[in-house]
């Protein structure tokens, strides 16, 4: 309330300490510098939701039907489309292999793609409606399932999965702090 940032949904830091924020309700991505200055980086990202940073690549996506995944120009230029026509994606991350792994909620699958937009493939399916993909220290996918409420560990090479927790429907995202896994719920818990 009263901030330059309206309705923040997801965030990522670059190596210089800039904070990139998706603003779902405003259909935009903003940046806040380490000095505290904020400006709109990209103003035409309908359903702006997932965002991640990896080795010079700022990648954002849309959580909507017929979504896109974009590489954003940090100077505000036109974004590059990595993939489009995705049946709804959410929180994603670049894996140890350098590929982007992302949940495809309407397909009930997890996909991966090279950052140049080639070789898109399904990693795992028949899940509990995945809505986040992160990686543990051993290179396994950790994915929250919004529909089933499960937190799964998935081997990205084989698709084999292990149930880590069953918290209840409505899970939204996850992150690691060291070895500790934190999971958020749509209720705010």
């Amino acid at each position: 309330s009263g901030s330059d940032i309206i309705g923040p949904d997801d965030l990522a830091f670059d190596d210089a300490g800039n904070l990139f924020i998706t603003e779902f309700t405003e259909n935009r991505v903003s940046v806040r510098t380490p000095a505290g200055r904020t400006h709109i980086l990209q103003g035409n990202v309908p359903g702006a939701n997932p965002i991640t940073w990896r080795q010079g690549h700022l990648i954002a996506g849309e959580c909507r039907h017929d979504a896109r995944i974009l590489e954003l120009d940090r100077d505000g230029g036109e974004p590059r489309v990595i993939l489009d026509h995705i049946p709804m994606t959410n929180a994603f991350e670049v894996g140890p292999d350098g590929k982007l792994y992302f949940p495809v909620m309407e397909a009930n699958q997890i996909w991966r793609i090279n950052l140049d937009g080639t070789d898109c493939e399904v990693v795992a399916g028949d899940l509990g409606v995945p809505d986040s993909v992160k990686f543990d220290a051993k290179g396994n996918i950790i994915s929250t399932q919004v529909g089933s409420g499960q937190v799964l560990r998935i081997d990205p090479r084989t698709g084999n999965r292990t149930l880590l927790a069953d918290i209840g429907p409505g899970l939204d995202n996850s992150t690691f702090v060291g070895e500790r896994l934190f999971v958020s719920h749509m209720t705010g818990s």
Side-chain angles (χ1 to χ4, degrees):
S1 182
S3 171
D4 294 332
I5 305 299
I6 301 168
D9 191 276
D10 205 348
L11 59 91
F13 287 94
D14 69 8
D15 299 330
N18 292 299
L19 171 61
F20 298 93
I21 307 112
T22 55
E23 297 174 86
F24 182 80
T25 59
E26 304 302 305
N27 299 318
R28 68 186 187 195
V29 176
S30 292
V31 60
R32 177 166 284 167
T33 68
R37 289 184 296 279
T38 303
H39 66 276
I40 297 168
L41 180 68
Q42 187 58 243
N44 184 24
V45 186
N49 189 310
I51 193 163
T52 194
W53 169 263
R54 174 73 181 263
Q55 298 176 341
H57 298 277
L58 179 62
I59 304 161
E62 301 167 341
C63 187
R64 65 181 181 101
H65 306 286
D66 204 28
R68 299 176 298 166
I69 294 176
L70 310 166
E71 182 169 4
L72 301 182
D73 179 336
R74 287 181 291 151
D75 295 323
E78 199 61 32
R80 180 179 64 85
V81 176
I82 295 174
L83 186 65
D84 57 5
H85 307 296
I86 307 162
M88 194 173 286
T89 190
N90 200 20
F92 49 50
E93 188 168 52
V94 176
D97 60 2
K99 295 180 180 187
L100 181 68
Y101 287 73
F102 54 100
V104 182
M105 293 165 51
E106 290 179 350
N108 197 23
Q109 298 173 330
I110 295 173
W111 296 0
R112 68 179 158 218
I113 192 168
N114 290 324
L115 295 182
D116 66 5
T118 61
D119 298 328
C120 186
E121 60 185 329
V122 175
V123 176
D126 193 27
L127 302 165
V129 188
D131 62 343
S132 75
V133 172
K134 303 298 166 92
F135 284 87
D136 67 16
K138 295 180 180 176
N140 292 302
I141 295 168
I142 303 300
S143 180
T144 54
Q145 309 297 300
V146 67
S148 70
Q150 295 177 328
V151 181
L152 301 176
R153 177 187 301 125
I154 302 170
D155 184 325
R157 295 161 295 280
T158 65
N160 292 338
R161 61 195 81 164
T162 304
L163 177 65
L164 296 180
D166 193 342
I167 300 171
L171 298 181
D172 183 47
N173 206 336
S174 64
T175 192
F176 281 94
V177 177
E179 293 292 318
R180 297 172 68 193
L181 174 62
F182 292 84
V183 177
S184 63
H185 195 281
M186 289 183 183
T187 64
S189 60

